[in-house]
Amino acid sequence: GLTVGLAGSFNRLVISNGATINNSDGYLGYNSTSSSNVAVVTGAGSTWTNFGLYTGYSGSGNQLVVSNGGVTRSLGSSHLGFLPGSSNNQVVVIGAGSQWTNDVHLNVGNGGAGNQLVVGDGGVVRNNEGTLGLNSTSSSNVVVVSGAGSLWH
């Protein structure tokens, strides 16, 4: 697996210029002390492939940005705000050709509150099954899809 912010904060992963990372599970903000970690996948051919992806497993304020034709793929499920207390995490998929594909589930607010998915300017998010606010602790989560060609499918 790959963890950005196991217990620490303000760590950054950048995948760009056609680079590829493949791992089992990916975590942004694993522990409750791991906040404000960022992963950026940007540029055509840049790809991050995971089995499962957790943006805010237990931490808060973590962010995934997929832009300028970058691609993030989860062969299993992805969760934005996984455990209760994992709040205010964000995934942004922006720009033509930018994609976040989940072969199984996408949960925005699995257990956490105030998490946000933003899809804009031609970005695309795909999943087999999607949920906004899965559990009783997952309130005030938001999905925003805007701009021509933008899609949550």
Side-chain angles (χ1 to χ4, degrees):
L2 176 60
T3 302
V4 180
L6 177 63
S9 299
F10 300 101
N11 299 287
R12 181 173 291 243
L13 169 68
V14 177
I15 304 167
S16 64
N17 299 316
T20 299
I21 294 180
N22 296 304
N23 52 269
S24 54
D25 286 334
Y27 299 93
L28 285 167
Y30 187 81
N31 287 307
S32 61
T33 58
S34 51
S35 62
S36 304
N37 298 287
V38 178
V40 178
V41 184
T42 186
S46 302
T47 307
W48 187 14
T49 302
N50 305 274
F51 181 75
L53 181 59
Y54 301 82
T55 304
Y57 182 80
S58 186
S60 297
N62 300 285
Q63 185 182 51
L64 168 64
V65 178
V66 183
S67 65
N68 300 320
V71 174
T72 297
R73 182 168 186 208
S74 295
L75 303 175
S77 297
S78 290
H79 306 277
L80 180 53
F82 186 66
L83 294 177
S86 57
S87 62
N88 302 312
N89 298 287
Q90 184 182 56
V91 174
V92 177
V93 182
I94 191 162
S98 301
Q99 293 184 46
W100 184 21
T101 302
N102 302 278
D103 289 358
V104 186
H105 303 289
L106 171 57
N107 296 320
V108 179
N110 187 77
N115 299 286
Q116 185 179 50
L117 170 62
V118 177
V119 186
D121 296 332
V124 174
V125 174
R126 295 183 189 279
N127 48 268
N128 184 38
E129 187 173 295
T131 305
L132 179 59
L134 183 64
N135 293 302
S136 61
T137 57
S138 53
S139 61
S140 302
N141 296 285
V142 176
V143 175
V144 177
V145 181
S146 67
S150 301
L151 174 68
W152 183 18
H153 182 268

